[in-house]
Amino acid sequence: MGYAIGVDVGGTFTDVVLRDTSGAISVAKCLSTHYDPIAGILTGVTRVLAGRDPAQVTRVVHATTLATNAVLERKGVRVALVTTQGFRAAVPLGRYARVEEDRYDLRFTPPPPPVAPGDCFEVVERVSARGAVLTPLDPDSVRRAAAAITARGIESAAVCLLHAYANPAHERRVAQILRQTIPAVVTSSETWPELREYERATTTIMSAYIGPLMASYLSRLRERLAGIGIRAPVHVMESSGGVISAELAARRAVATIESGPAAGVLAAAGAGFADAISFDMGGTTAKTCVVRGGRPEITHEFHVGGKGSFGGRRAGTGVPIKTPAIDLAEVGAGGGSVAWLDPAGTLRVGPRSAGSSPGPACYGLGGSEPTVTDANLVLGYLSSASIPLSPPLADKALDGLAAPLGVAREQAAYAVHEIVSASMASAVHVVTVQRGIDPRGFALVASGGAGPMHAARIAARFGITTVVVPAHCGVASAAGLLSGDLSTDRVQSHLDAPDPAALLATLAEAAASDLAVPLGTPGVRVHRSVDVRFKGQSHDLTVDWSDDRAELESRFFRRYAEVYGIAQRGEIELVSYRVRVSVPADPPPAPPATDASERSTPGGSTGEGSAPAPALTHHPSAGAASTRTEEPGATRTAGTGARAAERGAARVTTRRAYFPECGGYADVPVHTRPTLATEPDATVEGPAVIEDPESTIVVPPGWTATLAPAQAVHLLRSSR
């Protein structure tokens, strides 16, 4: 017997999913411990093991926001930049696009650069774009720079020399000298050897900025997992949806900046729809991504730490990162997003979140400000959850918002619900309409603890008629981790390389070495692609590689028309060569007859060395009425229990929920997935609520819900 564990640390909850060799799934949720994320991880892992032998764990896959938070909160290590003589000002000058309120700010101050001007150093050398040495490297200039860096007390350096992607010899020698006195040195030719000097420099800087933090964190995680008996390899989700070893993640930390959001997209890609829109709403943020042909869209450049970027596609709205990443749009809208009134008395929601501490008011952990979760509880959409909820505290929080607005409590709550839905719809707009994609032909796949409550309303805004809520939707990111391939990427810029096949082969060998697998190993896949542009243009598009030049041109022309809407022909040139090597993860076995979602962990003691964070395991059949009979208007029509639900004997309950189409509050049925299976025609008409162990699905009027294969719930819009 062997177990695989997926761990996703979010802004509010830490989700842990365990899968055994039979395919059975166990789930544990606990509040994230921001003072020490590993404490929450150990609590969740101990709970999900529930008496199982930790030595039987064969794999731990982790999605973390450590890198993202370090960039956003500017909590990385101090970094020195070493560059070619004459270019020390390139990064401090930087780029910035004014967005939203910045556009008209006469006193606008741009954000500080990723490296302070005084921490930028020059060395004497020069290489051409074709790799020819124009000025030999002066080792003494490197030693002077090293002495100055050491004198400033800086322990991490990023080396980015001009055109080092074409000839890395000078960078390697500079790094060799710097490492004699500086503990951490990162070079652009090791990190991401691709043209565009500014972007390559910022990518290298960010790797040096967060690398020591990531290395220390992963080392401590392995040690503390070993302390509770788990000595299995620790893998980390990378931004492009692959999985890399902890050792490689420490060396290439910049590849993990979008680690957490990527896992949720993988879960959506496996929902059974070739064309889908992933919609993941957690406690602090909501993320969307387009999946076409069963594959998520991938971008090779994104921006972090800026305003108005919706996850990073708007140039100049943060620090550019040149590394493959799932093409996400992200907004600060989640279950913990705080509702507030601006000085003009206008209702706003987010981007500030109550997080896990103090959390929404209804958590009873000290929070008092109204949040989206409080609003959904007042509206009757939410009742049971992964933590006991207090309706009186939610009422009090919403009353504080309703009074200055001069409206009833439920009206204020529904306004919060609508505003946050509109905010998340803007992210869907970015990845679809704004890029020329008609969303009406896509299914919206909802996940996250809060996503299924808002999914149908968001889908209706775009004319989307199908919403899919997979099993274990509330922990979709953690579950998605277990489906990610062990993979890594390599790239090399070389303008029209004379021997592309040899270059691609070299990149494939390097990528396979990163994964510690020979290329000829059965199951190892190699995907080759190339960046192509029209000769004379500066921007390129990535297409699959072909040895046939005519076929390569045809693929580029088709891609160009798809992206820009113009059928263009002309002379092309090849810019960068890319390789992705993947080793498939062990496929999950077919689940047993009993639904895996019913296999919930019964709880357990906190692991040694972990903090007593509230850890919660789930009994999905318990439902709202059985756990929250104190809620006004909730009616328990039949007793249920975990064992009864597994035998298909669950009964439908009812409670009052707010739907404007019904004129306000109405008594609506409250289903679980087992009760959906018992419906005569397997269809439930809205308004209705479907409760999951870790989430709640809202079925508005005009929508129907059915239980599909693999325990997914499909919502279909029956009227417009």
Side-chain angles (χ1 to χ4, degrees):
M1 175 67 74
Y3 309 113
I5 292 179
V7 179
D8 177 43
V9 179
T12 303
F13 286 102
T14 293
D15 300 336
V16 182
V17 169
L18 180 146
R19 186 184 70 211
D20 65 24
T21 52
S22 71
I25 293 290
S26 299
V27 174
K29 255 179 153 17
C30 62
L31 289 171
S32 294
T33 49
H34 298 293
Y35 60 90
D36 179 11
I38 299 177
I41 292 173
L42 292 184
T43 300
V45 168
T46 303
R47 297 270 177 163
V48 82
L49 283 171
R52 299 178 177 95
D53 182 4
Q56 296 299 313
V57 176
T58 59
R59 188 177 184 227
V60 177
V61 190
H62 183 25
T64 174
T65 57
L66 178 73
T68 308
N69 293 340
V71 175
L72 295 177
E73 299 170 10
R74 293 187 170 269
K75 291 184 177 179
V77 301
R78 187 179 176 185
V79 176
L81 172 65
V82 178
T83 188
T84 303
Q85 187 177 43
F87 290 87
R88 61 176 294 180
V91 170
L93 284 174
R95 300 175 188 155
Y96 189 78
R98 293 197 184 195
V99 295
E100 282 73 53
E101 66 273 15
D102 290 343
R103 291 172 180 159
Y104 309 104
D105 185 358
L106 298 179
R107 296 178 177 82
F108 168 74
T109 301
V115 174
D119 292 341
C120 297
F121 301 88
E122 297 178 347
V123 296
V124 177
E125 68 87 39
R126 188 69 178 263
V127 172
S128 75
R130 301 287 180 178
V133 176
L134 303 178
T135 302
L137 175 67
D138 178 5
D140 288 336
S141 68
V142 182
R143 295 186 184 97
R144 289 193 296 270
I149 293 170
T150 303
R152 286 174 170 265
I154 302 174
E155 297 185 347
S156 184
V159 182
C160 186
L161 304 183
L162 198 66
H163 302 307
Y165 58 85
N167 183 348
H170 286 180
E171 273 199 355
R172 290 170 181 167
R173 177 58 178 148
V174 169
Q176 185 182 34
I177 296 173
L178 293 179
R179 286 177 178 137
Q180 295 174 7
T181 56
I182 301 170
V185 179
V186 177
T187 67
S188 70
S189 52
E190 294 171 342
T191 303
W192 206 248
E194 194 171 356
L195 54 73
R196 301 191 188 282
E197 299 303 318
Y198 179 70
E199 290 82 356
R200 184 161 51 87
T202 55
T203 302
T204 308
I205 290 167
M206 286 298 104
S207 190
Y209 185 69
I210 60 180
L213 295 180
M214 182 65 72
S216 173
Y217 169 78
L218 292 175
S219 176
R220 287 185 288 112
L221 176 61
R222 287 194 298 264
E223 289 175 0
R224 293 174 69 176
L225 285 173
I228 61 172
I230 297 177
R231 300 185 181 276
V234 175
H235 293 152
V236 179
M237 174 67 69
E238 63 172 358
S239 302
S240 62
V243 175
I244 57 180
S245 67
E247 293 76 15
L248 184 57
R251 296 200 312 268
R252 203 177 296 167
V254 72
T256 67
I257 286 181
E258 292 291 334
S259 168
V265 178
L266 291 185
F273 286 77
D275 295 331
I277 299 169
S278 167
F279 169 59
D280 180 4
M281 180 183 179
T284 56
T285 59
K287 287 80 66 175
T288 64
C289 175
V290 170
V291 176
R292 287 200 274 195
R295 296 169 60 181
E297 293 285 327
I298 300 292
T299 181
H300 295 289
E301 180 181 329
F302 60 100
H303 301 74
V304 295
K307 292 191 294 185
S309 63
F310 291 103
R313 285 308 306 272
R314 290 170 66 179
T317 55
V319 179
I321 303 295
K322 290 281 285 184
T323 187
I326 287 180
D327 197 358
L328 291 158
E330 186 171 349
V331 293
S337 294
V338 175
W340 52 285
L341 300 178
D342 66 16
T346 303
L347 178 61
R348 306 290 186 106
V349 181
R352 186 168 61 88
S353 174
S356 61
S357 179
C362 61
Y363 282 11
L365 300 177
S368 59
E369 295 180 290
T371 67
V372 173
T373 296
D374 296 308
N376 286 331
L377 182 58
V378 167
L379 294 171
Y381 301 157
L382 186 62
S383 181
S384 63
S386 297
I387 190 169
L389 304 181
S390 170
L393 291 177
D395 292 346
K396 182 179 179 181
L398 265 297
D399 284 342
L401 197 64
L405 290 173
V407 298
R409 177 195 303 153
E410 62 271 17
Q411 291 174 312
Y414 193 73
V416 171
H417 182 88
E418 282 283 274
I419 289 172
V420 78
S421 293
S423 177
M424 293 182 292
S426 65
V428 175
H429 187 275
V430 166
V431 298
T432 56
V433 177
Q434 190 168 304
R435 301 179 189 174
I437 299 173
D438 186 348
R440 290 174 294 184
F442 289 71
L444 185 71
V445 182
S447 61
M453 278 185 284
H454 297 261
R457 297 292 190 189
I458 292 172
R461 291 172 180 264
F462 295 93
I464 297 172
T465 58
T466 302
V467 173
V468 181
V469 185
H472 312 297
C473 60
V475 291
S477 290
L481 290 169
L482 301 180
S483 65
D485 291 343
L486 188 65
S487 62
T488 190
D489 296 86
R490 284 280 184 158
V491 66
Q492 177 73 54
S493 286
H494 198 305
L495 298 177
D496 281 324
D499 190 356
L503 179 54
L504 289 168
T506 300
L507 292 174
E509 289 287 351
S513 176
D514 288 339
L515 299 179
V517 294
L519 274 180
T521 303
V524 173
R525 300 192 305 270
V526 180
H527 180 261
R528 299 171 176 85
S529 58
V530 62
D531 293 352
V532 187
R533 67 187 181 191
F534 284 114
K535 202 170 186 67
Q537 290 191 345
S538 60
H539 296 285
D540 45 65
L541 295 172
T542 303
V543 297
D544 289 345
W545 169 253
S546 172
D547 293 318
D548 185 337
R549 182 78 174 200
E551 174 60 24
L552 192 62
E553 290 179 350
S554 177
R555 291 176 182 178
F556 172 67
F557 296 151
R558 287 197 301 269
R559 181 61 176 159
Y560 194 94
E562 181 181 292
V563 173
Y564 297 110
I566 301 172
Q568 185 80 9
R569 296 291 186 273
E571 185 180 0
I572 67 170
E573 62 180 350
L574 311 185
V575 180
S576 298
Y577 300 82
R578 302 180 184 276
V579 164
R580 182 177 183 85
V581 174
S582 303
V583 181
D586 295 333
T594 301
D595 174 25
S597 67
E598 306 300 324
R599 299 177 181 268
S600 300
T601 57
S605 59
T606 302
E608 184 178 352
S610 64
L616 307 125
T617 53
H618 313 297
H619 303 278
S621 60
S626 62
T627 60
R628 292 285 314 287
T629 54
E630 77 281 2
E631 182 188 6
T635 304
R636 183 173 183 177
T637 58
T640 61
R643 298 298 182 187
E646 290 180 355
R647 294 192 301 269
R651 301 293 180 86
V652 180
T653 63
T654 63
R655 72 163 175 263
R656 292 177 62 78
Y658 186 90
F659 292 95
E661 300 92 335
C662 301
Y665 282 104
D667 290 325
V668 301
V670 179
H671 285 268
T672 61
R673 295 192 197 231
T675 65
L676 285 180
T678 64
E679 288 298 304
D681 58 357
T683 300
V684 171
E685 294 187 359
V689 172
I690 303 168
E691 293 208 320
D692 265 343
E694 312 91 15
S695 187
T696 299
I697 306 168
V698 172
V699 187
W703 290 77
T704 60
T706 58
L707 189 66
Q711 294 295 302
V713 173
H714 288 188
L715 306 185
L716 301 177
R717 196 176 183 194
S718 55
S719 63
R720 297 185 181 277

